[in-house]
Amino acid sequence: MTTDLPRPPGRTYVFGPFRLIPQRQLLVHGEQRVRIGGRALDILTVLVENPGEIVSEDELRSRVWPNTFVEDGNLKVNMAGLRRALGDRPAGPRYISTVIGRGYRFVAPVGISDSAEPIVEAVPAPGRSHNLPTATVRIVGRDHAIASINRELENARLVSVVGAGGVGKTTVALAVAEQAIGRMRDGVWFIDLAALTDPSLIASAIATISGLTAHSANMQAAVIEFLRDRQMLLLLDSCEHVIEPAAAIVDRILAEAAGVRILATSREPLRVKGERVRRLPGLGIPGETTVLTAARAMGFPAVELFVERATDRLETFTLSDAEAPLVAEICRKLDGLALAIELAATRIDAFGVTGLLARLDDRLRLLEGHRGGIERHRTLSATIDWSYGVLTPSERLVMRRLAIFAGAFGLASAIAVASDERVDRVEVAQCLANLVSKSLLSAEIRGSEMEYRQLDSTRAYALQKLAEEGEIEQARQRHAVHCLELLGQANNDAEKLSNADWLSRHGGKVDDIRSALHWAHNSATEDSLAVKLTVASIPFGKQVSLVEECRQAVELVLEERFRPHRNSRDDLLLNLTLGATLLHTRGPLVRVKISLTKALAIAEEIGDVDLQLECLRGLSEFELWTGDSHSAIAVAEKMRALTSKGQAAAAGDADAQTGSALSWLGVLAAARHRLESIVQRPVGRHLRPDVARFEFDQRLTARGALATVLWLQGFPDQAVEIARRQLREAEASNYAVSLCYALLHGSAIIAMYIRDYEEAYRYLDLGAQHATRHGLTIWRAMAIGPRNRLNLYTCRPIDLSAFHETLAEVRDGGFRMRYPNYLTNYGEALARQGDLEGGLAAIDEAIALCRSSGQVVGIPEILRIKGNTIRFGDPTGWERAVDCYLQSIELARDDRALSWELRSAISLVKLWRTRGGSSGAEDMLRSVHEKFTEGFTTGDLRRARALLDARPAV
């Protein structure tokens, strides 16, 4: 947020093509909102309110940053960003001039209106549609390249900007991306790959930046699925050190997400089909034989950049005719590399042009005669080395220590990591400003805050120096401690901010958190810090979709080595997280219950009611998934009991679990009541930051159970609508397990129930593919059971051997909730392939399992299938089939499962008509059909209607 400067309400300032409306924090060029940092906008407001007057730096600081310590470079960086937004150049300012030693003056004519112009109403307020930093310097000599790449992006979906380190690839790519803001429906996202040390984390980086929350064991698959229907531009920066995995994921995105365009920067092409390569050369430089004046030299971009950066550093600098050839020689020696030229230009105040050239000559002499790509990088390295060498001892110390940051950082972070008894907080701030002015740090404006980062080449050099000085372990320790503080801030903000705002503020810290965790886990002396970091990173990992990394970190610090450093709350949170992540990605393994039970015991011991509820929710899900509804209800009642201890959410959670469990027990009316209460409950369940975990959406899973209950009760149309709503919510959740649940246990099941086999196959295909992509083995297996049921319905062949293996996988994985259903289908398939005895034995085993667990809701259908199996497999035993149908109808009536009753009545009538007919059976079918009030276009009701219309005289 920016400072509320005192100003007349509703006043608009007009200068050139710009309109400034301070009250709305808005600068407009024509009809387009100008992207500008909040502090820069406040600076502009102060200057425009005092046109023609000199405003000192002290006055600007006091008005824009009241009661706040501001490092010297902050004002200069914001002023540079303001000038860039206005299109000003140092050589000829149109709007803001620098009065050396005194301050700044707004020199353009200013018109004032006391009411906002109507045109402003048409300017949309920006949402979070990108994460691009606000540039603080004017781009020199790249207009043609930017325009060319923009044109190429219109015709190609992948454009790679390729060139040597320091040539300006990122600067050009960011300028191209900035022009795409507002043109891409789902945003423009800058993904910095420079900090990645593990190539497998590219997908996680894309997920975090683009706003994807997907708890998946296969993040790449989650990212592809998220991008599939989106229209956005991804800027993948610094691909060269992860070139092969970057190329692989880019290839998949291009193949499977037609609306996504990719702009990449790298020192080499990705070599992906369809790639357009734009090679970025050094900036244009004068030839050695060119006769130069200052005016002519300024026509070459390399010289123009040198002069602009030199002027930024030394306001009195002007390029003379005598010095023009010397500056041209400096630019030639630096191969036109933008970063190298900037580094040299920032020392103009210390050495002058002649001194700069002499010192560069000394540093670069060994490289004479070599101008290939690798040598150009050596030129940059030598320039960085020279720039480092002329820093003060404090500046060198701060530069080395700041290299420990993997991503961008603020002033507070810089002070936390770099200050100590050798360099205090004030000196760190001053060194920070000096390093920015000398181009050894880049400054970015994000909203009203300033962020800093070291460019790849500079950071690599500084890390090497940090190691050479023997300071790297101490720096990493300070960095890890600071990351613990950052995690605390991020976790507290999770409840206060929207997901988009939270990601904008904290998502960029992923690389630093990951780096700190890796170091602490592998340090021989920091076990205590490793535990603290891991526990603090759990809710952070949930927010940025790093479920697998989180699980691995949790398992690591639960090892015996870390036991002395864990307290009871640590053990509680670690076991709770391990149980939840395993349950939702691997299924109800025995380890899940062990972990959740340990966590619950600790939560009860320390009296933490919130965490008791979370543990009980996990245990109730576990029991339900294993097919033990009674235990699930018992756990749910423990949840309900927590309402007396002030846990308001407990009753709703208990309803969700109890409703699902009751539906399996055949208590449909009560189940429906509980499930509807959770579905209709207002959205918005807020957890303490330390309670948040990788959890199911109770509303979403309750919808799936409710859809089945409604179908069973005779409301097929309502069931279809609920299943559709569940699928939409699951797709929007970006949670891999929820989508598996909605596809395989919601939409596919309901589609089979209404006998829409084509749709059922489609949902099963999607579910199986989704489970496979995300490494969800148990869910992939559970797609096979319903598919074989469908194959039986449609008389397609079944691989009995593979089916048997799948049954074993489901059983051994602990997911026995639907195991009897799959076993029944297996028995029917056996019988159809000639093993009637084995098939009936499997079906009888399924019935016994249902009765032993109490999950009897499916027994009427299993009995009907048994009757069909006998009827077709042994026509002489038709009376046994009749008994099965009658038993099924009786049980269905007891449970008020109207749809089961209808199915068995249909089968009974069909059998009797082959035996001469039965008025009793015909009356049963008519009676149950008359009870339906909807769903008359669904399969079973159409079949029943056809039978009733063709009823013979008996």
Side-chain angles (χ1 to χ4, degrees):
M1 296 182 61
T2 55
T3 309
D4 293 328
L5 299 172
R7 56 181 70 96
R11 177 163 288 189
T12 298
Y13 298 89
V14 181
F15 47 93
F18 294 98
R19 297 169 191 254
L20 172 67
I21 305 94
Q23 189 179 30
R24 301 186 189 182
Q25 286 291 294
L26 184 65
L27 178 65
V28 180
H29 182 280
E31 296 187 13
Q32 297 295 316
R33 179 187 292 268
V34 177
R35 231 167 55 82
I36 184 173
R39 300 296 187 188
L41 198 63
D42 282 347
I43 292 170
L44 176 62
T45 299
V46 174
L47 294 174
V48 167
E49 287 176 347
N50 301 277
E53 299 180 14
I54 297 174
V55 181
S56 70
E57 292 187 1
D58 286 344
E59 184 178 352
L60 282 172
R61 274 192 287 265
S62 67
R63 293 197 62 188
V64 176
W65 292 275
N67 305 314
T68 304
F69 170 76
V70 181
E71 66 272 27
D72 291 343
N74 208 328
L75 175 59
K76 291 183 178 180
V77 170
N78 277 281
M79 184 64 74
L82 174 57
R83 281 174 158 156
R84 177 184 183 274
L86 297 176
D88 260 4
R89 299 189 181 197
R94 291 182 296 165
Y95 298 105
I96 301 172
S97 69
T98 301
V99 183
I100 297 173
R102 299 181 64 189
Y104 302 93
R105 177 192 286 131
F106 197 85
V107 295
V110 178
I112 301 176
S113 169
D114 286 328
S115 62
E117 298 288 335
I119 188 71
V120 176
E121 298 300 325
V123 179
R128 186 177 185 264
S129 60
H130 68 88
N131 69 327
L132 305 184
T134 302
T136 58
V137 293
R138 188 177 71 87
I139 300 173
V140 175
R142 296 301 190 189
D143 290 349
H144 175 73
I146 292 167
S148 175
I149 294 169
N150 259 317
R151 288 193 299 271
E152 288 173 343
L153 264 179
E154 291 177 2
N155 300 311
R157 292 181 50 222
L158 169 62
V159 178
S160 295
V161 183
V162 175
V167 77
K169 300 184 295 295
T170 302
T171 299
V172 167
L174 282 169
V176 172
E178 185 166 355
Q179 294 184 24
I181 295 174
R183 299 207 311 260
M184 305 300 288
R185 183 188 67 219
D186 298 302
V188 178
W189 306 105
F190 173 66
I191 296 111
D192 184 6
L193 303 182
L196 290 187
T197 55
D198 183 349
S200 67
L201 298 176
I202 295 175
S204 294
I206 296 173
T208 299
I209 296 302
S210 62
L212 166 62
T213 303
H215 308 148
S216 168
N218 185 343
M219 184 55 71
Q220 183 171 123
V223 166
I224 299 299
E225 201 148 313
F226 174 72
L227 297 177
R228 196 179 306 281
D229 298 318
R230 281 170 168 76
Q231 183 192 73
M232 62 172 59
L233 174 66
L234 300 179
L235 198 174
L236 301 182
D237 190 45
S238 301
C239 296
E240 55 272 354
H241 68 297
V242 288
I243 194 74
E244 290 186 7
I249 193 168
V250 165
D251 195 37
R252 282 198 63 186
I253 292 172
L254 294 177
E256 301 184 42
V260 176
R261 294 178 184 270
I262 297 172
L263 181 61
T265 73
S266 177
R267 293 181 186 174
E268 60 178 297
L270 297 181
R271 296 179 177 84
V272 171
K273 183 179 180 181
E275 178 183 28
R276 297 271 185 93
V277 177
R278 173 75 187 196
R279 296 192 180 275
L280 197 65
L283 292 169
I285 52 180
E288 291 188 30
T289 59
T290 305
V291 178
L292 289 176
T293 63
R296 188 173 182 187
M298 287 294 288
F300 293 90
V303 174
E304 184 183 4
L305 177 64
F306 180 95
V307 171
E308 189 157 312
R309 297 299 179 264
T311 306
D312 287 342
R313 179 65 178 170
L314 183 64
E315 293 171 344
T316 58
F317 176 78
T318 56
L319 182 65
S320 66
D321 288 343
E323 289 177 328
L326 302 180
V327 170
E329 180 65 14
I330 289 172
C331 293
R332 280 195 297 272
K333 288 183 178 297
L334 297 177
D335 296 317
L337 294 175
L339 178 57
I341 291 170
E342 290 183 350
L343 289 171
T346 61
R347 305 308 299 172
I348 193 72
D349 57 333
F351 303 116
V353 173
T354 303
L356 269 179
L357 180 58
R359 281 162 176 78
L360 283 173
D361 265 338
D362 293 341
R363 187 67 63 169
L364 301 173
R365 197 177 309 282
L366 293 176
L367 301 178
E368 285 182 1
H370 302 284
R371 287 295 177 262
I374 295 176
E375 284 69 26
R376 278 188 170 178
H377 183 63
R378 290 169 59 196
T379 299
L380 177 61
S381 298
T383 309
I384 295 171
D385 186 52
W386 170 74
S387 299
Y388 177 81
V390 296
L391 295 175
T392 67
S394 293
E395 289 169 347
R396 288 198 293 269
L397 178 65
V398 171
M399 179 179 166
R400 292 195 302 269
R401 291 178 175 178
L402 294 182
I404 213 69
F405 285 104
F409 53 90
L411 173 62
S413 292
I415 290 172
V417 170
S419 65
D420 62 5
E421 67 281 355
R422 296 171 62 186
V423 52
D424 63 21
R425 296 167 57 89
V426 175
E427 194 171 5
V428 168
Q430 187 58 56
C431 287
L432 196 71
N434 293 343
L435 291 171
V436 170
S437 70
K438 295 170 184 177
S439 293
L440 289 165
L441 276 181
S442 68
E444 303 168 353
I445 300 172
R446 292 190 183 272
S448 61
E449 302 303 321
M450 188 72 67
E451 286 190 344
Y452 308 89
R453 71 169 69 237
Q454 287 187 350
L455 300 179
D456 302 351
S457 302
T458 311
R459 180 171 182 257
Y461 175 88
L463 279 173
Q464 180 183 342
K465 289 296 181 184
L466 191 67
E468 289 174 1
E469 295 290 335
E471 301 170 334
I472 199 160
E473 286 300 303
Q474 182 183 11
R476 290 203 179 281
Q477 196 274 342
R478 293 174 66 86
H479 174 256
V481 170
H482 180 61
C483 283
L484 189 59
E485 297 171 0
L486 293 178
L487 284 169
Q489 296 167 11
N491 295 339
N492 286 332
D493 281 347
E495 283 196 277
K496 303 172 186 175
L497 302 176
S498 69
N499 188 54
D501 289 341
W502 187 94
L503 284 172
S504 179
R505 181 176 298 182
H506 300 291
K509 305 302 180 188
V510 168
D511 291 323
D512 279 296
I513 303 302
R514 182 183 286 129
S515 172
L517 279 167
H518 179 76
W519 173 78
H521 287 157
N522 291 281
S523 171
T525 59
E526 296 294 340
D527 288 355
S528 177
L529 181 56
V531 171
K532 292 176 183 176
L533 274 169
T534 303
V535 171
S537 71
I538 291 169
F540 183 89
K542 177 179 184 291
Q543 287 287 110
V544 294
S545 311
L546 299 179
V547 57
E548 194 63 13
E549 287 185 61
C550 185
R551 182 189 63 76
Q552 291 170 1
V554 164
E555 283 190 310
L556 181 62
V557 297
L558 280 172
E559 292 179 357
E560 187 62 29
R561 160 193 161 194
F562 294 95
R563 178 188 289 275
H565 307 282
R566 302 193 308 260
N567 60 32
S568 294
R569 181 167 292 276
D570 295 333
D571 279 335
L572 192 169
L573 292 169
L574 292 168
N575 277 288
L576 173 57
T577 301
L578 179 59
T581 53
L582 282 173
L583 177 64
H584 293 160
T585 58
R586 309 286 176 86
L589 304 172
V590 174
R591 291 176 62 202
V592 170
K593 187 168 185 177
I594 292 172
S595 295
L596 293 176
T597 302
K598 283 182 182 178
L600 177 61
I602 300 170
E604 291 173 340
E605 181 182 336
I606 65 177
D608 192 315
V609 178
D610 288 343
L611 288 173
Q612 286 178 50
L613 177 59
E614 287 304 297
C615 295
L616 289 169
R617 289 181 68 225
L619 285 168
S620 181
E621 286 181 13
F622 173 88
E623 300 294 2
L624 190 60
W625 290 18
T626 58
D628 191 345
S629 287
H630 292 293
S631 293
I633 291 173
V635 175
E637 289 309 305
K638 292 182 180 179
M639 295 162 63
R640 194 181 306 280
L642 294 179
T643 56
S644 64
K645 299 182 180 181
Q647 181 41 264
D653 288 342
D655 280 340
Q657 300 295 340
T658 301
S660 294
L662 287 173
S663 71
W664 286 96
L665 295 174
V667 189
L668 299 182
R672 179 178 173 182
H673 174 72
R674 299 294 182 94
L675 292 169
E676 286 181 336
S677 72
I678 183 70
V679 167
Q680 295 167 3
R681 190 175 68 179
V683 179
R685 180 170 179 271
H686 300 290
L687 299 174
R688 283 178 6 212
D690 64 326
V691 175
R693 64 179 178 85
F694 299 89
E695 59 192 18
F696 263 160
D697 180 342
Q698 294 290 290
R699 180 189 309 274
L700 189 146
T701 51
R703 284 199 196 281
L706 180 58
T708 297
V709 169
L710 286 168
W711 182 85
L712 288 169
Q713 288 187 316
F715 302 104
D717 292 342
Q718 293 182 53
V720 169
E721 177 53 34
I722 290 290
R724 286 174 178 165
R725 197 176 307 171
Q726 181 202 30
L727 183 56
R728 287 196 298 269
E729 291 183 4
E731 288 171 338
S733 76
N734 298 314
Y735 190 0
V737 179
S738 288
L739 189 52
C740 278
Y741 195 101
L743 286 167
L744 300 177
H745 288 174
S747 296
I749 297 298
I750 297 300
M752 282 195 290
Y753 283 164
I754 65 173
R755 299 193 185 277
D756 186 344
Y757 299 148
E758 184 176 341
E759 277 293 273
Y761 272 120
R762 187 173 72 85
Y763 290 133
L764 288 172
D765 286 340
L766 289 172
Q769 292 165 11
H770 185 76
T772 300
R773 281 194 298 266
H774 292 275
L776 304 175
T777 308
I778 192 67
W779 287 93
R780 186 177 67 246
M782 284 190 294
I784 296 174
R787 178 176 297 279
N788 284 319
R789 173 73 253 167
L790 266 180
N791 290 341
L792 289 168
Y793 283 151
T794 56
C795 299
R796 298 186 185 184
I798 292 175
D799 184 339
L800 282 176
S801 177
F803 197 173
H804 189 268
E805 290 177 6
T806 299
L807 278 175
E809 189 174 346
V810 172
R811 183 188 63 240
D812 296 344
F815 215 141
R816 293 183 291 275
M817 181 169 60
R818 295 183 185 269
Y819 178 74
N821 298 351
Y822 304 159
L823 184 59
T824 299
N825 297 334
Y826 177 70
E828 186 178 5
L830 269 179
R832 286 197 186 185
Q833 295 192 24
D835 186 0
L836 179 61
E837 183 179 350
L840 290 174
I843 293 172
D844 285 339
E845 182 185 349
I847 293 172
L849 287 172
C850 289
R851 285 176 172 152
S852 66
S853 68
Q855 292 192 327
V856 298
V857 71
I859 291 181
E861 176 68 352
I862 297 174
L863 283 167
R864 186 188 72 85
I865 291 172
K866 181 180 179 181
N868 285 347
T869 302
I870 296 170
R871 172 183 159 201
F872 294 113
D874 180 18
T876 63
W878 66 273
E879 291 177 327
R880 291 168 56 206
V882 169
D883 287 342
C884 288
Y885 297 146
L886 291 174
Q887 287 180 54
S888 171
I889 291 170
E890 183 180 357
L891 289 175
R893 286 174 175 171
D894 289 344
D895 293 342
R896 292 179 173 76
L898 200 60
S899 291
W900 284 158
E901 185 182 350
L902 178 69
R903 281 195 169 185
S904 292
I906 290 171
S907 295
L908 182 63
V909 165
K910 285 183 175 181
L911 186 152
W912 270 114
R913 286 188 184 180
T914 66
R915 310 300 300 180
S918 166
S919 59
E922 299 287 347
D923 290 342
M924 280 185 186
L925 178 59
R926 177 183 50 77
S927 174
V928 67
H929 184 271
E930 287 176 348
K931 295 176 184 177
F932 280 85
T933 58
E934 63 174 66
F936 296 108
T937 61
T938 59
D940 288 338
L941 283 163
R942 282 189 283 108
R943 291 183 179 188
R945 182 73 266 167
L947 284 172
L948 290 171
D949 290 344
R951 177 174 182 172
V954 178

